[in-house]
Amino acid sequence: ELKVEQNPLFLSMQEGKNYTIYCNYSTTSDRLYWYRQDPGKSLESLFVLLSNGAVKQEGRLMASLDTKARLSTLHITAAVHDLSATYFCAVDKTSGSRLTFGEGTQLTVNP
Amino acid sequence: GAVVSQHPSRVICKSGTSVKIECRSLDFQATTMFWYRQFPKKSLMLMATSNEGSKATYEQGVEKDKFLINHASLTLSTLTVTSAHPEDSSFYICSARAPLERVWGGYTFGSGTRLTVV
């Protein structure tokens, strides 16, 4: 059974600081996804990482994938309040199959 | 591109009644759609995989007769919560796999349906 673990589950940080969210998964996977969810809303796609060593950046967020370590990271640079949300990583074991989600990281960026 | 539309966004119903939630792929064909349930401050839990023209595949512990899924066309899947009870109150989200050539082959999600059973 594919398992996906995120840490930390809760993250409170100050504006302007940097931090990293970690996502570990248990078996070989084709793709790793990062999503953002605001309270009461559905999921917004952030990144899809397709291969070992993949790195993608959008604004203050950068995601990377190490398939050998079965680890993905979501790095936050110089956090701003607008980044406050819950972030999920997810993995599908084979392309087009079901997604397995991590528990989510609730990020709060304080002024 | 690759938009999934989900309706209604909110619904309140009385115990014992049934509620239908629709999930439509607006600009692509989706042979497979997924239905998730999310409890407050929790992750998404896959309920079932909806396959166009065939029976849905339900996850272990999900009652097939309670959560009826129909995927009658390549652009529409519906989830019907039958004889709803307060414990069925939750946030339901549908998803479809976007075609590789349209986006980056990622999954696209509907806006979700907040169901409250009173």
Side-chain angles (χ1 to χ4, degrees):
Chain A
E1 180 187 350
L2 175 59
K3 293 185 179 180
V4 182
E5 295 182 347
Q6 283 181 242
N7 71 84
L9 300 183
F10 299 93
L11 176 56
S12 180
M13 57 190 298
Q14 284 187 313
E15 281 191 329
K17 299 294 186 181
N18 305 331
Y19 210 83
T20 300
I21 300 171
Y22 297 88
C23 175
N24 289 92
Y25 53 97
S26 61
T27 62
T28 304
S29 170
D30 282 357
R31 303 167 189 253
L32 189 134
Y33 306 82
W34 284 97
Y35 296 95
R36 168 180 172 147
Q37 186 178 36
D38 291 298
K41 304 292 185 181
S42 188
L43 272 65
E44 174 191 349
S45 298
L46 294 176
F47 303 107
V48 59
L49 303 169
L50 301 177
S51 60
N52 187 42
V55 177
K56 291 196 175 179
Q57 183 166 3
E58 181 72 33
R60 301 175 188 274
L61 300 178
M62 183 174 71
S64 66
L65 178 62
D66 180 343
T67 57
K68 293 181 181 178
R70 296 176 184 164
L71 170 69
S72 179
T73 60
L74 181 66
H75 187 72
I76 304 155
T77 302
V80 293
H81 180 68
D82 286 351
L83 290 179
S84 296
T86 299
Y87 293 85
F88 292 95
C89 65
V91 172
D92 57 359
K93 194 171 181 179
T94 57
S95 298
S97 68
R98 51 177 294 177
L99 273 179
T100 299
F101 282 86
E103 307 99 314
T105 297
Q106 186 176 322
L107 170 66
T108 303
V109 181
N110 303 302
Chain B
V3 177
V4 170
S5 174
Q6 184 173 346
H7 292 281
S9 57
R10 291 179 180 272
V11 58
I12 301 173
C13 70
K14 292 184 178 179
S15 286
T17 63
S18 296
V19 174
K20 181 183 283 188
I21 302 170
E22 292 190 348
C23 182
R24 293 180 184 273
S25 56
L26 296 185
D27 52 359
F28 67 100
Q29 294 182 333
T31 55
T32 302
M33 291 186 177
F34 305 90
W35 287 96
Y36 295 87
R37 181 174 182 175
Q38 186 179 33
F39 292 102
K41 299 192 180 298
K42 297 293 184 183
S43 188
L44 276 71
M45 179 187 74
L46 180 65
M47 299 175 64
T49 301
S50 170
N51 304 297
E52 186 270 334
S54 64
K55 291 183 179 180
T57 304
Y58 289 82
E59 295 299 304
Q60 190 172 7
V62 177
E63 299 178 61
K64 300 179 183 181
D65 295 332
K66 161 69 86 174
F67 300 101
L68 298 179
I69 290 173
N70 184 280
H71 195 153
S73 77
L74 287 170
T75 59
L76 174 63
S77 176
T78 60
L79 168 66
T80 301
V81 183
T82 63
S83 187
H85 292 285
E87 57 265 31
D88 299 324
S89 299
S90 196
F91 192 50
Y92 294 88
I93 307 174
C94 68
S95 173
R97 178 71 185 271
L100 284 170
E101 66 275 13
R102 292 298 296 276
V103 194
W104 19 253
Y107 297 82
T108 187
F109 288 81
S111 54
T113 298
R114 175 77 58 195
L115 170 63
T116 304
V117 185
V118 298

